[in-house]
Amino acid sequence: MMRVITALCLLGSVTAFAPRAFNARRSLAPRSAVRMAASDMESLRFMTEDNVRKVREVSGTPAYVYDLASLRANAAATLAFPNAFGLTTRYAMKACPNGAILKFFAQQGLHFDCSSGYEVTRAMQAGVPADRLSLSTQELPENIAELVAMGIKVNACSLSQLRAFGEALPGADVGLRFNPGLGSGGTGKTNVGGPSSR
């Protein structure tokens, strides 16, 4: 088992995070396939080969490496998106729920879309204020009243969920998530706004 790395390895604008418990024996690739020559590596987008070696020395491998300059630029671009009636930019936590990334995006001014009560807890543990969290989930968490009292916004995803929310919190504000039946994007494994989307 790889040791747990809790500290961040800062290399200029690059941050590396090692996964908590990676078991090299569980890797699906044979050992010979894991070791690649430098000539076989894809071109590096924001790191030098020296940075890669430094991350390996400090964090071990595998390690996830994020370019803070790119994350900052993307956050700024979404916050500057033109809008006529107001816009709340939300980061979909399921894309990458890494606590350091959540904290960084919160510092940039983003709000967050959580798809479960567990994601709400994870965001709050990363220091994201409750009033910047929105919960859209298939199953309301048992502590929904407590979460709403803390300032978390909730979107009901079905009529039964809307009924359950109303019974648990009569008169409380709730958002509605609905499917207009018009798809956009997606693949054979996902559906984005189409007839079979939630």
Side-chain angles (χ1 to χ4, degrees):
M1 268 288 188
M2 182 175 152
R3 62 185 161 73
V4 175
I5 304 293
T6 54
L8 302 181
C9 169
L10 295 173
L11 303 170
S13 67
V14 177
T15 303
F17 306 94
R20 286 197 168 261
F22 176 79
N23 187 338
R25 285 176 269 176
R26 291 186 188 167
S27 174
L28 299 177
R31 274 210 179 286
S32 59
V34 174
R35 295 179 192 262
M36 296 174 59
S39 61
D40 294 331
M41 259 194 285
E42 70 179 65
S43 62
L44 301 171
R45 290 180 39 199
F46 60 88
M47 292 183 67
T48 66
E49 287 187 33
D50 287 339
N51 287 145
V52 172
R53 287 184 190 89
K54 180 71 173 173
V55 167
R56 183 182 63 206
E57 290 169 17
V58 172
S59 301
T61 61
Y64 299 103
V65 182
Y66 302 93
D67 178 21
L68 295 181
S70 294
L71 295 176
R72 185 178 293 109
N74 288 336
T78 61
L79 290 167
F81 192 81
N83 61 85
F85 303 103
L87 175 71
T88 300
T89 302
R90 296 189 188 282
Y91 173 70
M93 275 188 61
K94 62 183 158 189
C96 180
N98 181 297
I101 298 294
L102 300 177
K103 187 177 292 189
F104 179 78
F105 277 151
Q107 291 167 350
Q108 303 307 302
L110 294 182
H111 289 232
F112 297 82
D113 179 46
C114 306
S115 62
S116 70
Y118 299 108
E119 285 190 358
V120 167
T121 300
R122 185 168 182 84
M124 290 174 44
Q125 287 173 343
V128 178
D131 64 350
R132 288 171 58 188
L133 300 175
S134 176
L135 175 63
S136 300
T137 182
Q138 293 302 305
E139 187 175 327
L140 292 176
E142 291 181 14
N143 64 338
I144 190 66
E146 178 185 339
L147 296 177
V148 170
M150 294 167 69
I152 291 166
K153 295 157 192 68
V154 176
N155 295 307
C157 299
S158 66
L159 291 175
S160 61
Q161 195 176 73
L162 183 60
R163 187 178 309 109
F165 183 89
E167 290 169 359
L169 296 152
D173 289 342
V174 63
L176 298 177
R177 181 176 180 171
F178 65 95
N179 174 9
L182 304 171
S184 173
T187 67
K189 296 185 185 223
T190 63
N191 187 333
V192 184
S196 61
S197 291
R198 57 182 171 136

